[in-house]
Amino acid sequence: MTPSPSPDAVPPAAGPTGPVEPDGPGRPADGAARAVSPGHHADPVDSLILHTTDNGVAWLTLNRPEAMNALTQEQRERLIRRLADASSDPDVRAVVLTATGRGFCAGADLRGAPSARERVAGDVARLIRDGAQRLIAAVLDCEKPVIAAVNGTAAGLGAHLALACDLVLAAESARFLEVFVRRGLVPDGGGAYLLPRLIGPQRAKELMFFGDALPAAEAARLGLVNRVVPDGELAKTAREWAERLAAGPTRALALTKQLVNASLDTDRATAFAAEATAQEINMTTADAQEGVAAFVARRTPAYRGR
């Protein structure tokens, strides 16, 4: 039978959201960005997940504004791959995840998926494990800091995609929405893992039980968002934050991210042991040696991400 839409999918907008500004949230403003893999054979998915690298920052831009950037299976897989590439590329030292149009991401959209056999027990769990959960894990496990620049509505999996990022910037018009309860469904895509760790179990239950839209300012008050900025300043602020991270000690940031994420699921003794091990590993990097040398010499360190 034809697969049903993903539990976290939001119906696409009735019509186009209007022309996308050429220097919208996902496009660096100074024009210095380089397209990755220029000249290769055109892939339709490339136009739906825009990818540029500029000043050590990888910009990943969801570009399906007519559907509020609901993710198809192909887009999801491309995004997972881009995050893995950013992790392993020494020239990438920070990542910005954003979108075009008036929606950040309306969740998953599987309506274009091919027909499949009749669903049997285990199929749904496998679909979620292999799909939405892999995407969220790709963000959490990325070895470079990931900034979400949320330009509009982030619903279902789209909200969880933003909240899995290390830092979250939101435009004033952005809003976050746990849509699952509206369809009588359980949150997936890591929602029941992420939200309690960010705002506590009672607040998380309130959002998930009622499914009300959460404006950006309220999301910031609850601690889901680091900063809310005017819509026109989102790209600029994201660039400033990302370039600061890209100029930092890349391996130290990766180890710090791992320590913080792991600390939420472990005991003190294990966390302390991991911290000591991380510092032991970090002290072998050129950036750590540069940082100490710069401190002794009372100069500004020049980190190279090595």
Side-chain angles (χ1 to χ4, degrees):
M1 68 180 193
T2 301
S4 59
S6 169
D8 47 17
V10 169
T17 59
V20 178
E21 293 297 327
D23 57 347
R27 183 177 295 277
D30 63 7
R34 60 176 175 84
V36 177
S37 302
H40 73 306
H41 182 68
D43 183 334
V45 184
D46 285 339
S47 67
L48 302 178
I49 301 287
L50 305 180
H51 178 209
T52 60
T53 299
D54 181 34
N55 290 337
V57 179
W59 292 75
L60 304 179
T61 305
L62 308 183
N63 186 37
R64 197 173 170 233
E66 72 280 1
M68 295 287 285
N69 292 304
L71 285 172
T72 65
Q73 179 179 346
E74 291 78 12
Q75 286 177 286
R76 183 196 70 219
E77 292 304 310
R78 181 61 54 86
L79 197 53
I80 291 171
R81 193 178 85 190
R82 292 300 190 199
L83 288 163
D85 290 345
S87 246
S88 61
D89 187 348
D91 293 329
V92 172
R93 298 170 65 183
V95 178
V96 175
L97 180 59
T98 189
T100 59
R102 59 187 177 89
F104 174 74
C105 179
D109 184 356
L110 301 182
R111 282 171 292 186
S115 298
R117 59 178 171 79
E118 183 179 356
R119 180 176 292 166
V120 298
D123 283 353
V124 172
R126 190 178 308 106
L127 177 68
I128 293 170
R129 286 196 306 268
D130 293 344
Q133 290 178 350
R134 283 181 56 245
L135 176 59
I136 299 305
V139 178
L140 294 171
D141 296 340
C142 182
E143 295 182 27
K144 310 298 167 61
V146 183
I147 297 174
V150 183
N151 55 296
T153 298
L157 177 61
H160 303 163
L161 179 61
L163 299 178
C165 293
D166 302 300
L167 300 170
V168 183
L169 294 170
E172 288 178 340
S173 63
R175 59 180 190 153
F176 299 82
L177 183 61
E178 290 292 325
V179 300
F180 303 91
V181 71
R182 297 185 179 188
R183 300 176 177 84
L185 300 171
V186 173
D188 64 33
Y193 174 86
L194 292 167
L195 270 103
R197 286 164 171 76
L198 292 168
I199 58 176
Q202 288 180 313
R203 290 289 192 181
K205 290 171 188 173
E206 179 182 346
L207 295 179
M208 292 178 170
F209 285 1
F210 293 115
D212 295 332
L214 188 69
E218 181 66 7
R221 188 185 71 80
L222 291 177
L224 291 173
V225 168
N226 292 88
R227 185 176 299 179
V228 178
V229 299
D231 288 22
E233 296 181 14
L234 181 64
K236 175 178 177 289
T237 306
R239 168 176 283 277
E240 290 172 351
W241 281 33
E243 290 187 349
R244 284 185 63 187
L245 292 171
T250 306
R251 196 61 198 162
L253 293 177
L255 291 166
T256 301
K257 174 175 178 172
Q258 291 174 13
L259 287 174
V260 173
N261 287 352
S263 73
L264 300 172
D265 299 308
T266 192
D267 59 86
R268 185 181 70 182
T270 303
F272 276 22
E275 176 187 275
T277 300
Q279 193 69 290
E280 175 77 22
I281 295 170
N282 186 65
M283 287 303 294
T284 67
T285 67
D287 279 351
Q289 296 167 28
E290 164 65 8
V292 173
F295 173 77
V296 172
R298 296 185 178 181
R299 60 176 174 81
T300 301
Y303 297 120
R304 298 186 298 111
R306 303 292 191 272

